[in-house]
Amino acid sequence: MDALAMKMFQGYVVDFFAKGVPLSQIRICTDSVTSVLPLSQQKKDEAYYNVLNKAADKFMTDGWLADNEQRLIESYTSSLGIALNCLPMQYQSESLARIGQAIVLKDLQRGVLPQKPLTVPVMLGRGECALWVYDNVTMFQEKITREYVGGSRGMSYRICKGVTYRTGSFKGHPVERSQMEKVGIGSLVVTNKHFFFHCPTASIKIPYSKLVGVTPYSDGLEVHKEEAKPKRTVFQGFDAWFVMNVLNQIN
């Protein structure tokens, strides 16, 4: 019975995108379904998200979000109180992420910041807005160790128990070793002013004004900061396409 109720409920919701039926009218139909075949709120949410994902896949088939498609997505999510840049993990998809990111980038091009505030685990400054949040991101930071190595030549003479005198010379030189250390796994918050990385063991802020370069990878990016002794910082676990476009728009 749950499967039948879910199918009927979802079938009515699809009409929003397929036929342009307003959600207010669709709710009348879905209420008639659930009055006979009850559905939990969790199942209702699942139906709404499933329809949203199907619409996103269809809209992004050509790799471009048309203005009328954007208006449909925004109307749907606004009516349901859904934020594309902060979806529950189980309902996230590549198409939905690209649509949400495309909308944010279009707003930035017009000089507009997103109106729906995000709940983020960091303190934002005045005039600062969270644009996107990536979860399960791993941060690595370069650690440089220095040691003095060398050798000595000459002879040692035992003067008494526990006392030795060495003649000769010692030559050595400092050696630096670099390695990438894992800082932790947490959330990367992209704002209009900073990168914030937050995990149980660390909270780090990187101002865009201090960046001298960014290297994108297929699964993350490396940021190069303006420092007296610069160290490599890498964030891994997401597609850097959106971040690179944000930096281009802001700078």
Side-chain angles (χ1 to χ4, degrees):
M1 296 297 287
D2 277 354
L4 176 60
M6 186 74 166
K7 185 176 181 179
M8 294 178 65
F9 188 99
Q10 195 164 297
Y12 281 117
V13 177
V14 167
D15 286 344
F16 176 86
F17 292 103
K19 301 178 181 179
V21 180
L23 278 177
S24 57
Q25 185 175 335
I26 288 174
R27 286 195 180 97
I28 297 175
C29 299
T30 55
D31 286 347
S32 65
V33 171
T34 54
S35 65
V36 179
L37 301 170
L39 273 181
S40 66
Q41 187 59 49
Q42 181 180 354
K43 288 294 183 181
K44 293 178 184 178
D45 291 343
E46 184 179 336
Y48 282 121
Y49 280 114
N50 286 344
V51 171
L52 179 59
N53 269 292
K54 288 181 179 179
D57 289 339
K58 181 180 178 181
F59 290 163
M60 294 305 289
T61 300
D62 58 0
W64 173 254
L65 181 66
D67 288 342
N68 64 312
E69 294 170 342
Q70 179 178 338
R71 285 192 291 270
L72 280 173
I73 291 288
E74 288 180 330
S75 175
Y76 185 86
T77 55
S78 177
S79 297
L80 297 175
I82 296 172
L84 289 181
N85 48 1
C86 196
L87 290 175
M89 184 68 67
Q90 66 269 32
Y91 301 121
Q92 292 179 11
S93 71
E94 183 179 350
S95 295
L96 272 180
R98 281 301 173 96
I99 283 180
Q101 291 167 353
I103 292 173
V104 172
L105 291 173
K106 285 184 177 182
D107 286 342
L108 290 178
Q109 285 179 334
R110 298 196 301 264
V112 178
L113 294 175
Q115 299 301 308
K116 186 177 288 293
L118 294 178
T119 302
V120 294
V122 295
M123 295 294 292
L124 302 180
R126 186 175 181 179
E128 188 168 18
C129 175
L131 304 177
W132 203 265
V133 180
Y134 294 99
D135 294 318
N136 297 317
V137 173
T138 305
M139 178 178 177
F140 298 91
Q141 200 161 41
E142 185 179 28
K143 182 179 180 181
I144 298 175
T145 58
R146 296 176 178 86
E147 60 180 328
Y148 207 70
V149 298
S152 61
R153 292 182 299 173
M155 299 181 66
S156 298
Y157 299 93
R158 184 174 183 275
I159 298 175
C160 61
K161 185 178 181 181
V163 178
T164 303
Y165 176 74
R166 176 182 292 277
T167 64
S169 60
F170 178 88
K171 291 186 177 181
H173 60 279
V175 173
E176 291 188 351
R177 290 184 173 86
S178 171
Q179 62 182 19
M180 298 300 290
E181 285 198 340
K182 180 178 174 180
V183 175
I185 300 176
S187 299
L188 179 66
V189 181
V190 182
T191 81
N192 57 322
K193 295 183 178 181
H194 302 90
F195 288 131
F196 285 94
F197 178 77
H198 178 77
C199 71
T201 58
S203 191
I204 297 167
K205 178 172 70 174
I206 301 176
Y208 298 152
S209 59
K210 295 294 184 181
L211 293 179
V212 294
V214 178
T215 303
Y217 300 116
S218 60
D219 61 347
L221 58 84
E222 179 177 336
V223 298
H224 310 277
K225 295 174 287 183
E226 182 182 354
E227 296 175 324
K229 296 181 179 180
K231 296 180 181 179
R232 298 172 62 199
T233 301
V234 174
F235 299 104
Q236 185 182 52
F238 60 97
D239 185 345
W241 169 84
F242 173 71
V243 176
M244 297 302 295
N245 279 279
V246 167
L247 294 176
N248 286 334
Q249 291 294 329
I250 290 174
N251 295 326

